[in-house]
């Protein structure tokens, strides 16, 4: 989320069919809502393909293999519809299954992770634009879905 400026619900709604490491891009066409349902994004403009950094591409390649190993330990198979960010839960008959991660649970985890790793306390991930590489103001404006170009200083 820090590398792409996706909304929390957009990131948590992603499946492996949305990530293209070959094209270094992510397709955002759904979100995981607070009522634990998969829905369309907030607006028509929110449906978009975004480019991702080489760092994120490498991490996604690593995570896909790691997640497949974790799922295999539970007797589960990773498929294109598997959420990238997931939780393991048990069905009523005690069989393990992979689900989208609850938004509130993720927020709680992210706040704790940020503090424990010295990033400080974030109020919201999209509020802070993490720029590792040089990014121009027009690109950032598009990522934040502003109708007009804003100066980079407007985000600092």
């Amino acid at each position: 989320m820090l590398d792409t400026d996706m909304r929390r619900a957009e990131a948590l709604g992603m499946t492996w069919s949305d990530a293209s490491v070959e094209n270094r891009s992510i397709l955002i066409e759904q979100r995981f809502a607070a009522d634990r349902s998969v829905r369309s994004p907030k607006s028509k403009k929110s449906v978009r393909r975004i480019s991702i950094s080489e760092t994120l591409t490498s991490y996604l390649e690593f995570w896909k293999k790691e997640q497949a190993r974790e799922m295999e330990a539970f007797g589960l198979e990773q498929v294109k519809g598997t959420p990238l960010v997931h939780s393991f839960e048990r069905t009523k008959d005690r069989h393990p299954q992979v689900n989208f991660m609850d938004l509130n649970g993720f927020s709680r985890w992210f706040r704790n992770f940020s503090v424990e790793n010295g990033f400080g306390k974030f109020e919201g991930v999209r509020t802070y634009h993490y720029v590792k590489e040089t990014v121009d103001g027009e690109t950032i404006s598009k990522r934040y879905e502003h109708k007009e170009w804003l100066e980079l200083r407007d985000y600092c």
Side-chain angles (χ1 to χ4, degrees):
M1 289 171 34
L2 293 172
D3 199 42
T4 62
D5 294 318
M6 284 189 289
R7 292 178 176 91
R8 174 183 60 160
E10 292 170 344
L12 296 180
M14 286 180 50
T15 64
W16 284 110
S17 62
D18 300 321
S20 174
V21 294
E22 300 82 22
N23 297 326
R24 288 184 47 191
S25 67
I26 293 175
L27 177 63
I28 299 170
E29 60 182 356
Q30 66 184 28
R31 63 186 169 103
F32 189 64
D35 66 359
R36 299 184 60 98
S37 66
V38 177
R39 296 189 182 170
S40 298
K42 290 179 85 170
S43 69
K44 289 179 183 179
K45 282 191 156 196
S46 295
V47 176
R48 62 204 186 277
R49 180 170 295 279
I50 57 174
S51 60
I52 58 176
S53 69
E54 190 174 321
T55 302
L56 182 54
T57 301
S58 296
Y59 182 77
L60 286 174
E61 289 173 326
F62 161 79
W63 175 239
K64 189 170 188 177
K65 292 174 189 172
E66 184 66 26
Q67 184 189 56
R69 277 195 292 276
E70 285 183 12
M71 290 178 66
E72 190 176 306
F74 285 95
L76 301 169
E77 182 182 0
Q78 184 186 64
V79 295
K80 287 188 175 212
T82 300
L84 269 73
V85 180
H86 69 275
S87 63
F88 288 112
E89 296 177 13
R90 298 219 179 248
T91 61
K92 289 180 183 178
D93 57 359
R94 306 291 299 149
H95 293 293
Q97 67 180 20
V98 171
N99 289 325
F100 289 94
M101 182 177 272
D102 175 65
L103 274 72
N104 294 323
F106 175 80
S107 293
R108 191 171 28 261
W109 171 85
F110 187 77
R111 279 192 307 274
N112 293 335
F113 173 85
S114 297
V115 170
E116 289 168 8
N117 289 280
F119 299 124
K121 184 176 179 181
F122 286 97
E123 297 301 323
V125 174
R126 282 192 106 216
T127 312
Y128 299 88
H129 186 76
Y130 182 74
V131 181
K132 263 184 150 173
E133 302 160 19
T134 304
V135 179
D136 62 280
E138 185 175 2
T139 300
I140 295 173
S141 292
K142 286 178 184 175
R143 284 185 179 177
Y144 279 113
E145 300 164 15
H146 291 289
K147 291 180 182 177
E148 57 191 53
W149 186 90
L150 297 174
E151 294 288 332
L152 184 57
R153 63 180 160 71
D154 294 332
Y155 292 99
C156 300

